[in-house]
């Protein structure tokens, strides 16, 4: 198995994998799924692939398409006491096609993402985990950070 950076030709498959993840997150609980998000997601991927603040890693499926993917983002809010340069990472969209699970794809992608963060000088990375993915992330050292995760949504 080989992890590689995604390219524009992978976008339809990245959207497909994100649909799988959205369905899984909805099963875990309160994850609302908006309609017609796929086109905006594809456009955003097209705009951000290759940028310095985004890494998209994939594993090809043996037959065709993608077996798994993961996205790393770097955000730069104001510096603070725990992050003197203010930058932190967020992992989004870690997904393995159900036909290709339990083969180490997500683990390999996580290794690549964490190395990208280290190479970029990022010292803190956040993510939201499904119940399926949480044990793997904990193996990599992800922990509860002590602050509750709160979300506001405009319901109007």
């Amino acid at each position: 198995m080989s992890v590689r950076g995604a390219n524009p030709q992978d976008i339809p498959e990245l959207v497909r994998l994100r649909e799988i993840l959205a369905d899984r997150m909805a099963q875990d609980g309160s994850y609302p799924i908006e309609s017609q998000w796929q086109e905006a997601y594809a456009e955003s991927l097209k705009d951000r692939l290759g940028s310095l603040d985004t890494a998209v890693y994939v594993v090809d499926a043996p037959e065709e398409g993608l077996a798994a993917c993961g996205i790393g983002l770097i955000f730069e809010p104001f510096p603070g006491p725990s992050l003197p340069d203010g930058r932190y990472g967020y992992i989004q969209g870690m997904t393995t096609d159900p036909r290709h699970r339990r083969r180490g794809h997500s683990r390999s992608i996580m290794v690549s993402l964490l190395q990208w963060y280290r190479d970029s000088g990022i010292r803190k990375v956040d993510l939201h985990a499904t119940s399926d993915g949480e044990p793997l992330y904990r193996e990599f050292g992800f922990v509860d950070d002590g602050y509750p995760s709160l979300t506001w949504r405009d319901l109007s």
Side-chain angles (χ1 to χ4, degrees), residues 73-143:
L73 303 164
I74 296 174
F75 295 105
E76 192 169 346
F78 288 107
S82 64
L83 291 171
D85 71 354
R87 298 179 326 133
Y88 72 96
Y90 184 79
I91 294 176
Q92 180 179 6
M94 286 287 296
T95 313
T96 301
D97 185 302
R99 298 170 296 169
H100 301 286
R101 291 191 176 146
R102 299 287 190 223
R103 298 179 192 173
H105 300 321
S106 289
R107 182 177 306 281
S108 295
I109 288 171
M110 280 298 294
V111 167
S112 295
L113 283 170
L114 292 175
Q115 188 59 54
W116 175 71
Y117 283 124
R118 285 184 191 100
D119 292 346
S120 299
I122 300 301
R123 297 176 35 205
K124 177 184 182 259
V125 177
D126 294 328
L127 57 75
H128 288 90
T130 62
S131 55
D132 293 336
E134 185 176 354
L136 174 67
Y137 305 134
R138 290 194 182 276
E139 284 181 34
F140 277 96
F142 284 83
V143 297

Side-chain angles (χ1 to χ4, degrees), residues 6 44-56 72-74 116 120:
S44 187
L45 284 166
K46 181 180 164 190
D47 292 343
R48 296 179 80 167
L49 278 177
S51 67
L52 295 177
D53 67 350
T54 304
V56 182
L73 303 164
I74 296 174
W116 175 71
S120 299

Side-chain angles (χ1 to χ4, degrees), residues 6-49:
N7 61 57
Q9 292 75 29
D10 294 318
I11 291 174
E13 278 291 286
L14 290 166
V15 171
R16 181 185 68 81
L17 289 172
R18 186 68 176 98
E19 289 171 333
I20 291 169
L21 178 60
D23 290 343
R24 181 63 189 94
M25 291 176 78
Q27 291 173 18
D28 270 356
S30 62
Y31 183 75
I33 298 177
E34 299 286 337
S35 63
Q36 301 182 349
W37 58 269
Q38 294 92 336
E39 186 176 321
Y41 186 67
E43 280 300 312
S44 187
L45 284 166
K46 181 180 164 190
D47 292 343
R48 296 179 80 167
L49 278 177

